[in-house]
Amino acid sequence: MEPGQAGRFAADAAQFGSAMNSIAHSQVMVKAIEDYAKEMTANQGPVQKTTAVDVHDLLDDAELQKLHEERIAQLQAEREKRAVMQRKGHGEVQEISEGDFLEVVTKTEMVVCHFFHRDFERCKIMDKHLNILARRFFTTRFIKLSAPDSPFFTVKLQIQMLPCVIFFKHGKVVDQVVGFDGLGATDDFETSALEDRMYHAEVVEEPVHNEERDDERIDAPKGNIRKGIHSFQKTASDEDSDFDE
């Protein structure tokens, strides 16, 4: 097959697929409108007269078609944007190296960065809360940096106590959480306390769809995550652990 023929074949196949999708959508719309008309007739009772509605006239309505096309385009744009963000690490707490830190912070509108130590239990507790919030606030980038492996930025940002969570907006520090200060100063602080700090710093946006289940929150009445938090044992070196390495 010649290259030009292959290109035309691919274009025809794409057009055919689009046409099939439109037909399927039209069939769904016809069925929905017919069901609606039946329901309206049943609710009005036998003694009332109803105006006949041609469902095909509704399907051919230019305004409805325009609204449908605009909505499809909007959904497609949202899916593409989400896919790009997911490839960049959104939706999870991603550990990065010191060499990647500046690029992430300066090229992302909202960033939550956890400076942590692998041996500190309180850092593990903080990670559990951040993992939940990273899934909830997809538009914010959640990252973590090993403090012992990032001496340059640890000194530059004057980090002396871990865990330390720093909030960045447009590349600038807008707030930070040192230890568990401001979160109830207890190992059993609620996820909502950290969430409130992020809202106050304006580094998160209200999600359009809240798919989070109550039992996935650390501060939920019941759930495995909360049980996991209590299973941690505090260590002497982890009582608002000073970082000095």
Side-chain angles (χ1 to χ4, degrees):
M1 183 180 293
E2 295 296 328
Q5 292 178 330
R8 287 193 297 272
F9 178 77
D12 292 342
Q15 186 176 6
F16 176 76
S18 177
M20 292 302 294
N21 287 335
S22 298
I23 292 172
H25 174 74
S26 298
Q27 291 173 340
V28 172
M29 288 293 294
V30 169
K31 185 63 169 62
I33 294 171
E34 289 175 345
D35 290 345
Y36 176 75
K38 289 178 181 178
E39 182 178 346
M40 292 297 295
T41 301
N43 291 339
Q44 289 174 348
V47 297
Q48 297 184 8
K49 294 183 179 180
T50 60
T51 303
V53 177
D54 189 339
V55 296
H56 296 288
D57 289 342
L58 293 176
L59 290 173
D60 293 336
D61 187 275
E63 288 297 322
L64 284 177
Q65 182 64 22
K66 181 181 178 182
L67 288 173
H68 170 66
E69 291 174 354
E70 290 176 350
R71 180 56 179 161
I72 292 299
Q74 180 185 1
L75 291 174
Q76 180 64 25
E78 290 175 356
R79 282 195 295 267
E80 291 175 357
K81 179 181 178 181
R82 186 177 181 90
V84 171
M85 295 175 72
Q86 192 166 19
R87 287 195 295 269
K88 291 182 177 180
H90 287 255
E92 62 178 344
V93 180
Q94 185 179 52
E95 183 174 350
I96 65 171
S97 65
E98 187 175 45
D100 296 328
F101 177 76
L102 273 182
E103 182 178 3
V104 172
V105 170
T106 57
K107 293 186 177 181
T108 310
E109 180 182 357
M110 298 176 292
V111 179
V112 173
C113 180
H114 177 203
F115 282 85
F116 74 103
H117 194 296
R118 301 184 193 283
D119 297 332
F120 291 175
E121 297 301 325
R122 281 194 162 187
C123 290
K124 297 175 184 178
I125 294 174
M126 182 65 76
D127 266 344
K128 287 186 174 288
H129 290 279
L130 291 173
N131 278 318
I132 291 172
L133 295 173
R135 293 193 296 270
R136 175 171 170 77
F137 299 108
F138 189 81
T139 56
T140 300
R141 182 83 184 270
F142 285 76
I143 60 175
K144 65 179 185 178
L145 216 60
S146 170
D149 299 324
S150 310
F152 180 81
F153 289 110
T154 298
V155 173
K156 283 292 184 180
L157 295 170
Q158 300 179 354
I159 297 172
Q160 299 178 344
M161 186 178 295
L162 299 177
C164 180
V165 181
I166 302 181
F167 305 148
F168 295 88
K169 191 167 185 178
H170 300 296
K172 297 181 180 179
V173 176
V174 292
D175 197 7
Q176 63 180 3
V177 176
V178 179
F180 292 166
D181 290 344
L183 304 176
T186 173
D187 288 7
D188 194 27
F189 72 88
E190 296 184 349
T191 306
S192 57
L194 183 57
E195 183 178 345
D196 288 344
R197 290 290 297 270
M198 293 179 183
Y199 270 118
H200 182 74
E202 298 182 345
V203 293
V204 293
E205 298 174 344
E206 185 66 28
V208 177
H209 301 292
N210 183 9
E211 299 176 351
E212 179 190 18
R213 300 181 309 175
D214 287 341
D215 60 358
E216 289 178 342
R217 296 178 62 90
I218 294 179
D219 52 333
K222 296 179 181 180
N224 294 333
I225 293 180
R226 186 177 179 88
K227 182 178 180 181
I229 288 296
H230 287 297
S231 69
F232 284 129
Q233 298 298 318
K234 290 194 293 185
T235 63
S237 63
D238 198 28
E239 191 68 29
D240 274 343
S241 308
D242 289 333
F243 177 66
D244 186 18
E245 294 197 7

